[in-house]
Amino acid sequence: SKLRSRKRKIIAMLIIGVVLAIGAALVGTASKQLIAASKHYRKNSLFHLGAFLNLAVGPVLDASAYAFAPSVVVAPLACLDVILNAITAPHTLYWQNEKLTRAHVIGVCLVTAGAICTSFFAEVREGAMSVYDLERQLFFRPVSLAYFALEVTLVLSLVGLLKRSSLADRPAARGIALGVAAGVLMGHVFF
């Protein structure tokens, strides 16, 4: 009975964490679309509301999610912002003539697969790490150093490609390069 009670408590906390993370994604999507709409409708109040949601409400919901569920569950849900925007923007920001294209659907599927893989293959540890443990794990393991070197090389290569005029004629390749660079950099938000 104590074990059942503990399991129920853990499941309830996970559900609360997931709901908070989904709420943060919803608020994030709405806030960015309000900011975009403020320019179209020429209403500063929409901009201020969007900025408030984006800078205050969303981060509070996001941080609260981590209090209830492990980061391995919560962090991948941050991609919902991108998915929700891809799905809703063609309707809510209709004046931008956005269309949900096949490329968008493929991108959404790839982002979703990445989030699922992150949750599925991530290592879960009980307890908190000290600053020294975290420092040892991030900066002194050969695999961590190789990962950082690969990331820096990748981002610098993408920046170099983006500066070349050849990508200006290929918007799909430019979009992929920007998406990869943003994804790599955004991945460090949770560390």
Side-chain angles (χ1 to χ4, degrees):
S1 82
K2 281 187 179 183
L3 184 61
R4 261 193 213 137
S5 176
R6 181 170 157 78
K7 280 185 178 182
R8 280 190 210 135
K9 184 177 178 181
I10 290 171
I11 290 171
M13 289 184 69
L14 282 172
I15 290 170
I16 292 169
V18 168
V19 168
L20 287 168
I22 291 170
L26 288 167
V27 168
T29 300
S31 67
K32 290 169 189 76
Q33 290 184 7
L34 283 168
I35 291 169
S38 71
K39 186 173 182 180
H40 176 72
Y41 291 114
R42 301 179 198 276
K43 291 192 175 188
N44 285 339
S45 59
L46 291 177
F47 175 83
H48 293 296
L49 176 60
F52 173 74
L53 290 172
N54 196 25
L55 298 172
V57 178
V60 167
L61 288 172
D62 195 39
S64 298
Y66 286 95
F68 289 95
S71 60
V72 70
V73 173
V74 175
L77 294 174
C79 73
L80 282 176
D81 209 359
V82 175
I83 294 169
L84 292 170
N85 195 55
I87 293 168
T88 60
H91 306 290
T92 57
L93 304 174
Y94 60 87
W95 61 89
Q96 292 182 345
N97 296 321
E98 286 277 338
K99 303 283 185 237
L100 186 60
T101 65
R102 183 173 175 244
H104 288 120
V105 172
I106 291 170
V108 165
C109 290
L110 289 172
V111 168
T112 303
I116 290 169
C117 287
T118 299
S119 291
F120 187 71
F121 294 111
E123 182 179 340
V124 179
R125 288 190 182 156
E126 293 290 326
M129 293 177 76
S130 73
V131 171
Y132 301 109
D133 292 336
L134 187 60
E135 187 178 80
R136 213 174 6 264
Q137 180 178 344
L138 291 177
F139 300 118
F140 300 115
R141 291 185 337 173
V143 70
S144 296
L145 296 174
Y147 175 76
F148 286 135
L150 179 66
E151 269 195 331
V152 168
T153 304
L154 176 65
V155 170
L156 291 177
S157 299
L158 290 171
V159 168
L161 283 173
L162 288 168
K163 287 186 175 187
R164 290 177 56 193
S165 61
S166 62
L167 282 182
D169 300 334
R170 298 172 33 207
R174 184 174 186 276
I176 289 170
L178 284 169
V180 168
V184 166
L185 295 172
M186 186 62 187
H188 293 289
V189 168
F190 301 104
F191 296 107

